[in-house]
Amino acid sequence: MSPRSPLLAGIDIGTTHIKALISDTDGTVLARAVRRTPAAPGHRHPADGVLTAALDALAECADAAGGPPDAIGVTGMAEAGVPLDRDGRPLGALRAWSDPEPAPYARSLGERLGADALHRATGILPTLKAPLAKWCALAALETRTAARMHAWAGAADLLVHALTGRLGTDGTFAQRTMAWDPHHKRWIAELLAEAHLEPRHMPPVHAPGDPVGTVTPAVAARHRLRAGTPVVVAGHDHLVGAWAAGAHTAGQVADSMGTAEAVLTVSATPPDRGAAAGEGMAWGRHADGEHFIVLAGMRGSGALVEWFCDRFLTGVRGSDRYAGFERLARSLPATPTGLLLTPYPGGRSAPRPDPNATFDLRGLGLDHGPAELARAVLEGTAHHARWMADVQATVCGAAPESVTLLGGSTRLRVWTELKAAVCPWPTRVCAEPEAPALGAAQWAGAALGLDPAAATAPSDPVVPTPTTADAHRAFHHDRFLAAVGSTAPP
């Protein structure tokens, strides 16, 4: 009897849900499980609750797959984390990436050290999300906790610590802290000192696919795992999801569509850091630790679809909301509505950061109704995503070769069709709904000597008709870019 193929587990600790899966080495998913991410008041996640939910989901997958995994990879939200005491116990709850408390400390860092200088050194602009700002707030407001802090653990690091008893992280998580040099791959002692910390307080940074440790016998016995199983911190969920979707090499673009939206471009060389800073975009290493990426976000993507459903599809719940939205948007011709929506509730973070940018609709007439508004929401966000990718191409110095759409919002096929019409590059839709978890499983396989690039999630091409594409691309150049104060790329 030939030996069975290794089973690879991936866990994605998200803001709203924790997703786990087990796949084979070809990327075929054999089992899935989902748990709600526990939340607490004050932008917190109870540490014990997060660990319990993640381990329960993993055990459910192992039962469904017929056995425990041979390697485990963990990804998740990048900036959430918790201080640990000398014995590795969390000092309170996980602090969510959305916690507003660090905002004044982020502003202070930017004013005193220079936002552009921080971005050039770390790839990150000073915002409330940055863990360095969180650590400064901790040192100023929670002196007893800060004095007891022996180490910092991100959300993924905390789960890996629970499985192995060892603390470690990945470079793509380290670079989100605003205290890591992604070019030279080292902690920046001078920045850590702003929060009265030293590199010894930071988790060791492991190379991609290098296991932090192995599952301990006690954890294996409690959670139906196998002692000695290697456990890997796979890295930042956006990057790991893009990797699973096939965005491995220079010129490939991944568009992660969810409540918010993130667009990243892969580059073989460091991007123009000054240009990236001016456009409000982060830069750093990709999941493989070698390629570079430029990353930009849009807050009002799927959130605008939810806004529409809340106001125009009242009384409709669950998946029926999205089916209703899809029917409305698809009831119109595939050509542009003529409405121009700027999708910026709460300002624009990138490109051309503008806190005063608005959610605005132009061209609305008495002959327009909910169907036109639904489609305008999709058009506005599609145009903005293309604008982000165009600017990233300029920052990276090369035009995109292709774009892969991934994430929960791709279930709205009318949206993916519209994006393909707006964008001039070959467009595909990743068929794996949990690409970050699958990417984490692929990087877990690297601990067994497997190539994490060997298996890519299946994807389907989206090809618009030439007439539809010409109309939307003309609207993008003639109307959308003019409205946001930009010009067409060369």
Side-chain angles (χ1 to χ4, degrees):
M1 181 181 295
S2 59
R4 69 169 177 80
S5 173
L7 299 178
L8 308 176
I11 304 170
D12 175 15
I13 303 175
T15 304
T16 307
H17 292 98
I18 295 170
K19 288 82 66 176
L21 58 76
I22 289 180
S23 75
D24 63 16
T25 55
D26 293 331
T28 301
V29 176
L30 307 175
R32 305 174 187 272
V34 179
R35 297 290 187 276
R36 189 84 177 175
T37 305
H43 298 270
R44 299 289 192 267
H45 301 283
D48 288 347
V50 168
L51 295 176
T52 297
L55 292 169
D56 283 353
L58 178 59
E60 181 180 328
C61 287
D63 289 344
D70 298 286
I72 301 169
V74 186
T75 183
M77 46 188 169
E79 294 90 358
V82 63
L84 306 180
D85 68 13
R86 187 173 296 277
D87 296 320
R89 292 187 297 257
L91 292 167
L94 279 160
R95 291 141 198 270
W97 61 266
S98 57
D99 183 2
E101 187 174 77
Y105 300 92
R107 286 194 296 272
S108 175
L109 288 166
E111 291 166 358
R112 290 186 296 101
L113 304 179
D116 287 348
L118 284 168
H119 181 273
R120 181 172 290 276
T122 69
I124 303 297
L125 288 163
T127 69
L128 62 86
K129 293 198 301 184
L132 179 58
K134 288 179 169 57
W135 303 332
C136 289
L138 184 72
L141 304 176
E142 302 178 54
T143 54
R144 291 184 61 186
T145 299
R148 295 175 59 203
M149 175 176 162
H150 184 71
W152 175 264
D157 311 339
L158 184 67
L159 176 57
V160 170
H161 181 268
L163 287 164
T164 67
R166 300 182 66 180
L167 187 62
T169 196
D170 168 85
T172 63
F173 279 136
Q175 70 192 16
R176 298 300 296 177
T177 65
M178 207 171 70
W180 174 260
D181 178 348
H183 195 73
H184 299 96
K185 302 181 182 180
R186 65 177 182 89
W187 292 108
I188 303 173
E190 297 83 358
L191 291 180
L192 291 173
E194 292 287 329
H196 309 297
L197 298 173
E198 300 174 18
R200 64 182 175 84
H201 292 105
M202 298 295 105
V205 179
H206 290 250
D210 178 29
V212 172
T214 60
V215 174
T216 65
V219 170
R222 286 198 303 270
H223 298 284
R224 303 189 294 283
L225 300 173
R226 184 182 297 115
T229 301
V231 185
V232 171
V233 177
H236 184 191
D237 53 1
H238 286 314
L239 278 58
V240 172
W243 183 273
H248 301 162
T249 58
Q252 294 178 321
V253 177
D255 182 349
S256 180
M257 299 168 60
T259 303
E261 190 163 351
V263 173
L264 70 86
T265 297
V266 185
S267 174
T269 56
D272 183 331
R273 289 177 279 183
E279 298 290 357
M281 297 183 177
W283 67 276
R285 299 279 183 168
H286 198 11
D288 63 355
E290 297 303 321
H291 284 85
F292 289 85
I293 58 95
V294 177
L295 177 68
M298 171 173 53
R299 283 179 288 181
S301 183
L304 294 182
V305 174
E306 295 290 344
W307 164 82
F308 180 95
C309 292
D310 287 343
R311 283 155 181 79
F312 297 96
L313 297 175
T314 55
V316 184
R317 295 289 179 265
S319 60
D320 290 343
R321 285 160 60 93
Y322 305 108
F325 184 94
E326 176 107 22
R327 283 193 299 272
L328 273 174
R330 199 176 285 283
S331 68
L332 299 174
T335 50
T337 60
L339 301 178
L340 195 153
L341 183 140
T342 52
Y344 311 125
R348 182 176 64 233
S349 56
R352 297 197 176 182
D354 182 359
N356 299 314
T358 60
F359 176 53
D360 189 23
L361 181 65
R362 306 176 192 179
L364 187 67
L366 296 178
D367 56 339
H368 294 132
E372 285 82 5
L373 179 55
R375 198 163 181 91
V377 164
L378 302 186
E379 288 176 345
T381 54
H383 285 296
H384 184 81
R386 178 184 168 178
W387 185 28
M388 287 197 288
D390 273 330
V391 170
Q392 288 179 0
T394 301
V395 169
C396 293
E401 294 181 1
S402 63
V403 59
T404 300
L405 310 175
L406 64 148
S409 292
T410 60
R411 59 188 158 181
L412 290 172
R413 304 302 290 185
V414 66
W415 203 352
T416 61
E417 293 164 7
L418 182 56
K419 279 179 172 281
V422 169
C423 290
W425 322 293
T427 301
R428 303 185 68 87
V429 177
C430 179
E432 172 51 54
E434 303 301 346
L438 181 60
Q442 292 171 338
W443 281 103
L448 304 177
L450 302 172
D451 180 1
T456 296
S459 61
D460 302 312
V462 188
V463 183
T465 67
T467 300
T468 300
D470 288 347
H472 281 289
R473 293 167 196 175
F475 188 95
H476 181 80
H477 285 279
D478 299 340
R479 297 281 308 281
F480 180 79
L481 291 179
V484 296
S486 183
T487 56

